[in-house]
Amino acid sequence: MPTNRTIYTNASILTPRGVVDGCSFSVTGNLIEDVQPSAAVSPNREDATVVDLAGRFVLPGFVDAHTHLLMLGQSLQKVQLRSAKTVEEIQSTLRTARAENPDAPRILGTSWLYSALDGQEPTRQLLDAAVPDIPVYLDANDLHSVWVNSAALAELGVTSDTADPLGGSITRDPDSGEATGMLLETAAQQIVWPALARQATDADRDSWLDSAISHYLASGVTSAVDMAVGEDDLQAFLRA
């Protein structure tokens, strides 16, 4: 009778000696056992389940040694803008997101590229033209700045009198001094991110963690090291 042992045959396996073709390996529980030529394995073994990999490549799982799990999971649920090549495409994507989520209190997007602006400055007015009625927060692709609309500036309480934090800046109109809609470096980290974190619930954080883990497993990542575990992160890990 078959046991919990599974033998995988006809695989190309990455080993410490390099890639070895036409091999088999057996797994009992969570333990990978011997590697041997597939020709040595009987396809009708009664003590194990035999799976033919038909030449597929097998390698160890990846380890992400520096990650932020909840941030990753949240970013996966945001409006994705990396593929937008123009301002018009960014605006169109935001309009679609607004139409598809009419009850959303705000729109969160990520990964927009400066090259899509073709030399234009990222201003609140460009975002207001797409979504004027609720706050819009868009993380840049490098995660070092956030582009927001007028409603978001109002939600954040950012005015011409708001001081720049040490190590960051709120871009301003040179004539009026009003915020233009870009918050750079620590202005994003100390003004935008904490404000949005206060809006999140435990259910949100649990959903982000689930998204991050599902994404990792689908990509072959089997271990991860979170580099900035706060109390909210820890409680999400414990609930999971």
Short mmCIF file of all heavy atoms in Angstrom, two decimals, residues 106-160:
data_model
loop_
_atom_site.label_atom_id
_atom_site.label_comp_id
_atom_site.label_asym_id
_atom_site.label_seq_id
_atom_site.Cartn_x
_atom_site.Cartn_y
_atom_site.Cartn_z
N ARG A 106 -11.56 56.07 -0.37
CA ARG A 106 -10.37 56.66 -1.00
C ARG A 106 -9.82 55.65 -2.00
O ARG A 106 -10.15 54.47 -1.96
CB ARG A 106 -9.31 57.03 0.05
CG ARG A 106 -8.85 55.88 0.91
CD ARG A 106 -7.98 56.34 2.08
NE ARG A 106 -8.70 57.24 2.97
CZ ARG A 106 -9.54 56.84 3.92
NH1 ARG A 106 -9.77 55.54 4.10
NH2 ARG A 106 -10.16 57.70 4.68
N ILE A 107 -8.95 56.13 -2.88
CA ILE A 107 -8.29 55.26 -3.85
C ILE A 107 -6.80 55.22 -3.52
O ILE A 107 -6.15 56.26 -3.37
CB ILE A 107 -8.49 55.76 -5.30
CG1 ILE A 107 -9.94 55.56 -5.72
CG2 ILE A 107 -7.56 55.02 -6.26
CD1 ILE A 107 -10.24 56.09 -7.10
N LEU A 108 -6.27 54.00 -3.41
CA LEU A 108 -4.86 53.79 -3.18
C LEU A 108 -4.25 53.14 -4.42
O LEU A 108 -4.75 52.12 -4.89
CB LEU A 108 -4.64 52.89 -1.96
CG LEU A 108 -5.32 53.31 -0.65
CD1 LEU A 108 -5.00 52.30 0.45
CD2 LEU A 108 -4.90 54.71 -0.24
N GLY A 109 -3.20 53.73 -4.93
CA GLY A 109 -2.53 53.18 -6.10
C GLY A 109 -1.05 53.06 -5.86
O GLY A 109 -0.50 53.59 -4.89
N THR A 110 -0.37 52.34 -6.75
CA THR A 110 1.06 52.14 -6.56
C THR A 110 1.78 51.96 -7.88
O THR A 110 1.17 51.60 -8.90
CB THR A 110 1.32 50.89 -5.68
OG1 THR A 110 2.70 50.82 -5.32
CG2 THR A 110 0.92 49.62 -6.39
N SER A 111 3.08 52.24 -7.84
CA SER A 111 4.03 51.89 -8.91
C SER A 111 3.92 52.76 -10.16
O SER A 111 4.33 52.34 -11.24
CB SER A 111 3.91 50.41 -9.29
OG SER A 111 4.23 49.60 -8.19
N TRP A 112 3.37 54.00 -10.02
CA TRP A 112 3.40 54.88 -11.20
C TRP A 112 4.84 55.29 -11.48
O TRP A 112 5.68 55.38 -10.58
CB TRP A 112 2.51 56.10 -11.00
CG TRP A 112 2.91 57.00 -9.87
CD1 TRP A 112 2.55 56.88 -8.56
CD2 TRP A 112 3.75 58.16 -9.95
NE1 TRP A 112 3.11 57.88 -7.80
CE2 TRP A 112 3.85 58.69 -8.63
CE3 TRP A 112 4.42 58.81 -10.98
CZ2 TRP A 112 4.60 59.83 -8.33
CZ3 TRP A 112 5.17 59.94 -10.68
CH2 TRP A 112 5.26 60.44 -9.38
N LEU A 113 5.13 55.54 -12.75
CA LEU A 113 6.48 55.87 -13.20
C LEU A 113 6.57 57.34 -13.60
O LEU A 113 5.68 57.86 -14.29
CB LEU A 113 6.87 55.00 -14.38
CG LEU A 113 6.88 53.49 -14.13
CD1 LEU A 113 7.05 52.73 -15.44
CD2 LEU A 113 7.98 53.11 -13.16
N TYR A 114 7.65 57.99 -13.21
CA TYR A 114 7.85 59.39 -13.60
C TYR A 114 7.90 59.54 -15.12
O TYR A 114 7.49 60.56 -15.66
CB TYR A 114 9.15 59.93 -12.98
CG TYR A 114 9.02 60.33 -11.53
CD1 TYR A 114 9.25 59.41 -10.51
CD2 TYR A 114 8.67 61.63 -11.17
CE1 TYR A 114 9.13 59.78 -9.17
CE2 TYR A 114 8.56 62.00 -9.84
CZ TYR A 114 8.78 61.08 -8.85
OH TYR A 114 8.66 61.45 -7.53
N SER A 115 8.40 58.50 -15.79
CA SER A 115 8.51 58.57 -17.25
C SER A 115 7.14 58.72 -17.91
O SER A 115 7.03 59.24 -19.03
CB SER A 115 9.22 57.33 -17.79
OG SER A 115 8.53 56.15 -17.43
N ALA A 116 6.07 58.26 -17.23
CA ALA A 116 4.74 58.37 -17.81
C ALA A 116 4.28 59.82 -17.90
O ALA A 116 3.38 60.14 -18.68
CB ALA A 116 3.74 57.57 -16.97
N LEU A 117 4.89 60.69 -17.11
CA LEU A 117 4.48 62.10 -17.11
C LEU A 117 5.13 62.89 -18.23
O LEU A 117 4.73 64.03 -18.49
CB LEU A 117 4.80 62.75 -15.76
CG LEU A 117 3.75 62.55 -14.66
CD1 LEU A 117 3.63 61.09 -14.26
CD2 LEU A 117 4.07 63.39 -13.44
N ASP A 118 6.13 62.31 -18.88
CA ASP A 118 6.78 62.93 -20.04
C ASP A 118 7.18 64.38 -19.75
O ASP A 118 6.92 65.29 -20.54
CB ASP A 118 5.84 62.87 -21.25
CG ASP A 118 6.58 63.18 -22.57
OD1 ASP A 118 7.80 62.94 -22.62
OD2 ASP A 118 5.93 63.67 -23.51
N GLY A 119 7.81 64.58 -18.60
CA GLY A 119 8.31 65.91 -18.27
C GLY A 119 7.37 66.77 -17.45
O GLY A 119 7.77 67.82 -16.93
N GLN A 120 6.09 66.38 -17.36
CA GLN A 120 5.16 67.15 -16.55
C GLN A 120 5.44 66.93 -15.06
O GLN A 120 5.92 65.88 -14.66
CB GLN A 120 3.72 66.73 -16.83
CG GLN A 120 3.20 67.04 -18.21
CD GLN A 120 1.71 66.73 -18.31
OE1 GLN A 120 0.87 67.44 -17.78
NE2 GLN A 120 1.40 65.63 -18.98
N GLU A 121 5.10 67.92 -14.26
CA GLU A 121 5.18 67.75 -12.83
C GLU A 121 3.95 66.98 -12.34
O GLU A 121 2.83 67.22 -12.83
CB GLU A 121 5.23 69.11 -12.12
CG GLU A 121 6.52 69.89 -12.38
CD GLU A 121 7.72 69.18 -11.78
OE1 GLU A 121 7.59 68.59 -10.69
OE2 GLU A 121 8.79 69.19 -12.43
N PRO A 122 4.11 66.07 -11.40
CA PRO A 122 2.95 65.35 -10.84
C PRO A 122 2.20 66.28 -9.86
O PRO A 122 2.66 66.50 -8.74
CB PRO A 122 3.58 64.16 -10.11
CG PRO A 122 4.98 64.60 -9.81
CD PRO A 122 5.39 65.57 -10.87
N THR A 123 1.09 66.81 -10.29
CA THR A 123 0.35 67.77 -9.47
C THR A 123 -1.00 67.21 -9.05
O THR A 123 -1.53 66.28 -9.66
CB THR A 123 0.11 69.07 -10.25
OG1 THR A 123 -0.76 68.78 -11.37
CG2 THR A 123 1.41 69.66 -10.75
N ARG A 124 -1.55 67.81 -8.00
CA ARG A 124 -2.87 67.42 -7.52
C ARG A 124 -3.93 67.65 -8.59
O ARG A 124 -4.91 66.91 -8.68
CB ARG A 124 -3.22 68.16 -6.23
CG ARG A 124 -3.15 69.68 -6.35
CD ARG A 124 -3.34 70.35 -4.98
NE ARG A 124 -3.05 71.77 -5.02
CZ ARG A 124 -3.89 72.71 -5.39
NH1 ARG A 124 -5.12 72.37 -5.75
NH2 ARG A 124 -3.54 73.99 -5.40
N GLN A 125 -3.74 68.69 -9.40
CA GLN A 125 -4.74 69.00 -10.43
C GLN A 125 -4.87 67.88 -11.46
O GLN A 125 -5.97 67.60 -11.94
CB GLN A 125 -4.38 70.32 -11.13
CG GLN A 125 -4.55 71.56 -10.27
CD GLN A 125 -3.32 71.90 -9.46
OE1 GLN A 125 -2.38 71.11 -9.38
NE2 GLN A 125 -3.30 73.10 -8.87
N LEU A 126 -3.74 67.22 -11.79
CA LEU A 126 -3.81 66.11 -12.74
C LEU A 126 -4.65 64.96 -12.18
O LEU A 126 -5.38 64.30 -12.92
CB LEU A 126 -2.40 65.61 -13.07
CG LEU A 126 -1.54 66.52 -13.96
CD1 LEU A 126 -0.12 65.95 -14.09
CD2 LEU A 126 -2.17 66.71 -15.33
N LEU A 127 -4.55 64.73 -10.88
CA LEU A 127 -5.35 63.68 -10.26
C LEU A 127 -6.79 64.14 -10.04
O LEU A 127 -7.73 63.34 -10.18
CB LEU A 127 -4.72 63.24 -8.94
CG LEU A 127 -3.31 62.65 -9.05
CD1 LEU A 127 -2.84 62.16 -7.69
CD2 LEU A 127 -3.25 61.53 -10.07
N ASP A 128 -6.98 65.42 -9.71
CA ASP A 128 -8.33 65.95 -9.54
C ASP A 128 -9.14 65.80 -10.82
O ASP A 128 -10.36 65.60 -10.78
CB ASP A 128 -8.28 67.44 -9.17
CG ASP A 128 -7.71 67.68 -7.77
OD1 ASP A 128 -7.61 66.71 -7.00
OD2 ASP A 128 -7.37 68.84 -7.47
N ALA A 129 -8.46 65.89 -11.97
CA ALA A 129 -9.16 65.77 -13.25
C ALA A 129 -9.75 64.38 -13.44
O ALA A 129 -10.71 64.20 -14.19
CB ALA A 129 -8.19 66.08 -14.40
N ALA A 130 -9.17 63.38 -12.75
CA ALA A 130 -9.67 62.00 -12.86
C ALA A 130 -10.61 61.67 -11.72
O ALA A 130 -11.70 61.12 -11.93
CB ALA A 130 -8.50 61.02 -12.88
N VAL A 131 -10.21 61.99 -10.49
CA VAL A 131 -11.01 61.67 -9.30
C VAL A 131 -10.98 62.88 -8.36
O VAL A 131 -10.05 63.03 -7.57
CB VAL A 131 -10.47 60.42 -8.57
CG1 VAL A 131 -11.34 60.10 -7.34
CG2 VAL A 131 -10.41 59.22 -9.50
N PRO A 132 -12.00 63.73 -8.44
CA PRO A 132 -11.98 64.94 -7.61
C PRO A 132 -12.69 64.79 -6.26
O PRO A 132 -12.50 65.62 -5.37
CB PRO A 132 -12.74 65.94 -8.47
CG PRO A 132 -13.72 65.10 -9.24
CD PRO A 132 -13.04 63.79 -9.49
N ASP A 133 -13.50 63.73 -6.09
CA ASP A 133 -14.43 63.71 -4.96
C ASP A 133 -13.95 62.93 -3.74
O ASP A 133 -14.48 63.11 -2.65
CB ASP A 133 -15.78 63.15 -5.40
CG ASP A 133 -15.66 61.76 -6.03
OD1 ASP A 133 -14.62 61.48 -6.66
OD2 ASP A 133 -16.61 60.96 -5.88
N ILE A 134 -12.97 62.03 -3.88
CA ILE A 134 -12.44 61.30 -2.74
C ILE A 134 -10.92 61.36 -2.78
O ILE A 134 -10.33 61.60 -3.85
CB ILE A 134 -12.91 59.83 -2.71
CG1 ILE A 134 -12.41 59.07 -3.95
CG2 ILE A 134 -14.42 59.73 -2.57
CD1 ILE A 134 -12.68 57.58 -3.88
N PRO A 135 -10.25 61.14 -1.65
CA PRO A 135 -8.78 61.19 -1.64
C PRO A 135 -8.15 60.11 -2.53
O PRO A 135 -8.64 58.98 -2.60
CB PRO A 135 -8.43 60.96 -0.17
CG PRO A 135 -9.65 61.38 0.59
CD PRO A 135 -10.81 61.01 -0.29
N VAL A 136 -7.07 60.50 -3.18
CA VAL A 136 -6.28 59.58 -4.01
C VAL A 136 -4.84 59.63 -3.52
O VAL A 136 -4.25 60.71 -3.40
CB VAL A 136 -6.34 59.96 -5.50
CG1 VAL A 136 -5.41 59.05 -6.32
CG2 VAL A 136 -7.77 59.86 -6.02
N TYR A 137 -4.27 58.46 -3.23
CA TYR A 137 -2.88 58.35 -2.79
C TYR A 137 -2.16 57.37 -3.71
O TYR A 137 -2.53 56.19 -3.78
CB TYR A 137 -2.82 57.81 -1.36
CG TYR A 137 -3.47 58.68 -0.31
CD1 TYR A 137 -4.83 58.54 -0.02
CD2 TYR A 137 -2.74 59.62 0.40
CE1 TYR A 137 -5.43 59.33 0.97
CE2 TYR A 137 -3.33 60.41 1.38
CZ TYR A 137 -4.67 60.26 1.66
OH TYR A 137 -5.27 61.03 2.62
N LEU A 138 -1.13 57.83 -4.38
CA LEU A 138 -0.41 56.99 -5.33
C LEU A 138 1.07 56.89 -4.95
O LEU A 138 1.81 57.88 -5.03
CB LEU A 138 -0.52 57.56 -6.75
CG LEU A 138 -1.93 57.85 -7.29
CD1 LEU A 138 -1.84 58.39 -8.71
CD2 LEU A 138 -2.82 56.61 -7.22
N ASP A 139 1.50 55.70 -4.54
CA ASP A 139 2.92 55.47 -4.25
C ASP A 139 3.70 55.44 -5.56
O ASP A 139 3.30 54.75 -6.51
CB ASP A 139 3.12 54.14 -3.54
CG ASP A 139 2.46 54.09 -2.17
OD1 ASP A 139 2.39 55.15 -1.52
OD2 ASP A 139 2.02 53.00 -1.77
N ALA A 140 4.82 56.14 -5.60
CA ALA A 140 5.70 56.04 -6.76
C ALA A 140 6.32 54.65 -6.82
O ALA A 140 6.35 53.91 -5.82
CB ALA A 140 6.80 57.10 -6.68
N ASN A 141 6.82 54.28 -7.98
CA ASN A 141 7.37 52.94 -8.16
C ASN A 141 8.52 52.66 -7.20
O ASN A 141 8.71 51.52 -6.77
CB ASN A 141 7.84 52.76 -9.60
CG ASN A 141 8.22 51.33 -9.92
OD1 ASN A 141 7.40 50.43 -9.82
ND2 ASN A 141 9.47 51.11 -10.30
N ASP A 142 9.28 53.70 -6.82
CA ASP A 142 10.41 53.49 -5.92
C ASP A 142 10.02 53.58 -4.44
O ASP A 142 10.87 53.42 -3.56
CB ASP A 142 11.54 54.48 -6.22
CG ASP A 142 11.12 55.94 -6.05
OD1 ASP A 142 10.00 56.19 -5.56
OD2 ASP A 142 11.92 56.82 -6.42
N LEU A 143 8.75 53.88 -4.16
CA LEU A 143 8.22 53.97 -2.79
C LEU A 143 8.91 55.07 -1.98
O LEU A 143 8.88 55.02 -0.74
CB LEU A 143 8.34 52.63 -2.07
CG LEU A 143 7.55 51.47 -2.67
CD1 LEU A 143 7.78 50.19 -1.86
CD2 LEU A 143 6.06 51.79 -2.74
N HIS A 144 9.45 56.06 -2.64
CA HIS A 144 10.09 57.16 -1.93
C HIS A 144 9.27 58.44 -2.00
O HIS A 144 9.70 59.49 -1.49
CB HIS A 144 11.50 57.43 -2.48
CG HIS A 144 12.51 56.45 -1.98
ND1 HIS A 144 13.41 56.74 -0.99
CD2 HIS A 144 12.75 55.16 -2.34
CE1 HIS A 144 14.17 55.69 -0.75
NE2 HIS A 144 13.79 54.72 -1.56
N SER A 145 8.11 58.38 -2.62
CA SER A 145 7.24 59.55 -2.67
C SER A 145 5.80 59.10 -2.90
O SER A 145 5.54 57.98 -3.36
CB SER A 145 7.67 60.51 -3.79
OG SER A 145 7.60 59.88 -5.06
N VAL A 146 4.87 60.00 -2.56
CA VAL A 146 3.45 59.75 -2.76
C VAL A 146 2.85 60.96 -3.46
O VAL A 146 3.06 62.10 -3.06
CB VAL A 146 2.72 59.50 -1.42
CG1 VAL A 146 1.24 59.23 -1.67
CG2 VAL A 146 3.35 58.33 -0.67
N TRP A 147 2.09 60.68 -4.50
CA TRP A 147 1.40 61.70 -5.30
C TRP A 147 -0.06 61.67 -4.89
O TRP A 147 -0.70 60.60 -4.89
CB TRP A 147 1.59 61.36 -6.77
CG TRP A 147 0.96 62.26 -7.78
CD1 TRP A 147 0.45 63.51 -7.61
CD2 TRP A 147 0.80 61.95 -9.18
NE1 TRP A 147 -0.02 64.02 -8.79
CE2 TRP A 147 0.19 63.09 -9.78
CE3 TRP A 147 1.12 60.85 -9.97
CZ2 TRP A 147 -0.13 63.12 -11.13
CZ3 TRP A 147 0.82 60.89 -11.32
CH2 TRP A 147 0.20 62.02 -11.89
N VAL A 148 -0.61 62.83 -4.52
CA VAL A 148 -1.97 62.87 -4.00
C VAL A 148 -2.79 63.96 -4.69
O VAL A 148 -2.24 64.88 -5.29
CB VAL A 148 -1.98 63.11 -2.47
CG1 VAL A 148 -1.17 62.04 -1.75
CG2 VAL A 148 -1.43 64.50 -2.13
N ASN A 149 -4.12 63.84 -4.56
CA ASN A 149 -5.00 64.86 -5.10
C ASN A 149 -5.39 65.86 -4.01
O ASN A 149 -4.95 65.76 -2.85
CB ASN A 149 -6.23 64.23 -5.76
CG ASN A 149 -7.16 63.54 -4.77
OD1 ASN A 149 -6.82 63.37 -3.60
ND2 ASN A 149 -8.33 63.14 -5.24
N SER A 150 -6.23 66.81 -4.37
CA SER A 150 -6.61 67.87 -3.42
C SER A 150 -7.36 67.30 -2.23
O SER A 150 -7.16 67.75 -1.08
CB SER A 150 -7.46 68.93 -4.13
OG SER A 150 -6.72 69.57 -5.14
N ALA A 151 -8.23 66.32 -2.47
CA ALA A 151 -9.00 65.73 -1.37
C ALA A 151 -8.08 65.02 -0.38
O ALA A 151 -8.34 65.03 0.83
CB ALA A 151 -10.04 64.77 -1.92
N ALA A 152 -7.02 64.42 -0.87
CA ALA A 152 -6.08 63.75 0.03
C ALA A 152 -5.31 64.77 0.86
O ALA A 152 -5.07 64.57 2.05
CB ALA A 152 -5.12 62.88 -0.78
N LEU A 153 -4.89 65.87 0.24
CA LEU A 153 -4.20 66.92 1.01
C LEU A 153 -5.10 67.44 2.12
O LEU A 153 -4.64 67.67 3.25
CB LEU A 153 -3.78 68.06 0.08
CG LEU A 153 -2.62 67.78 -0.88
CD1 LEU A 153 -2.45 68.95 -1.84
CD2 LEU A 153 -1.32 67.53 -0.11
N ALA A 154 -6.39 67.61 1.81
CA ALA A 154 -7.32 68.08 2.83
C ALA A 154 -7.48 67.04 3.93
O ALA A 154 -7.52 67.39 5.13
CB ALA A 154 -8.67 68.38 2.18
N GLU A 155 -7.54 65.75 3.57
CA GLU A 155 -7.68 64.69 4.56
C GLU A 155 -6.45 64.64 5.47
O GLU A 155 -6.56 64.38 6.68
CB GLU A 155 -7.90 63.35 3.88
CG GLU A 155 -8.10 62.19 4.84
CD GLU A 155 -8.46 60.89 4.13
OE1 GLU A 155 -7.65 60.42 3.30
OE2 GLU A 155 -9.55 60.36 4.41
N LEU A 156 -5.29 64.88 4.89
CA LEU A 156 -4.04 64.86 5.65
C LEU A 156 -3.86 66.12 6.50
O LEU A 156 -3.04 66.13 7.43
CB LEU A 156 -2.84 64.72 4.71
CG LEU A 156 -2.70 63.40 3.94
CD1 LEU A 156 -1.63 63.53 2.87
CD2 LEU A 156 -2.39 62.25 4.89
N GLY A 157 -4.61 67.16 6.16
CA GLY A 157 -4.44 68.44 6.84
C GLY A 157 -3.19 69.18 6.40
O GLY A 157 -2.67 70.03 7.14
N VAL A 158 -2.71 68.89 5.20
CA VAL A 158 -1.52 69.56 4.67
C VAL A 158 -1.93 70.89 4.03
O VAL A 158 -2.76 70.91 3.12
CB VAL A 158 -0.79 68.67 3.65
CG1 VAL A 158 0.33 69.45 2.95
CG2 VAL A 158 -0.24 67.43 4.33
N THR A 159 -1.34 71.96 4.50
CA THR A 159 -1.61 73.30 3.97
C THR A 159 -0.28 73.98 3.66
O THR A 159 0.80 73.40 3.84
CB THR A 159 -2.39 74.15 4.99
OG1 THR A 159 -1.52 74.45 6.10
CG2 THR A 159 -3.62 73.40 5.49
N SER A 160 -0.37 75.24 3.25
CA SER A 160 0.85 75.99 2.96
C SER A 160 1.66 76.23 4.23
O SER A 160 2.85 76.56 4.15
CB SER A 160 0.49 77.33 2.31
OG SER A 160 -0.41 78.06 3.13
#
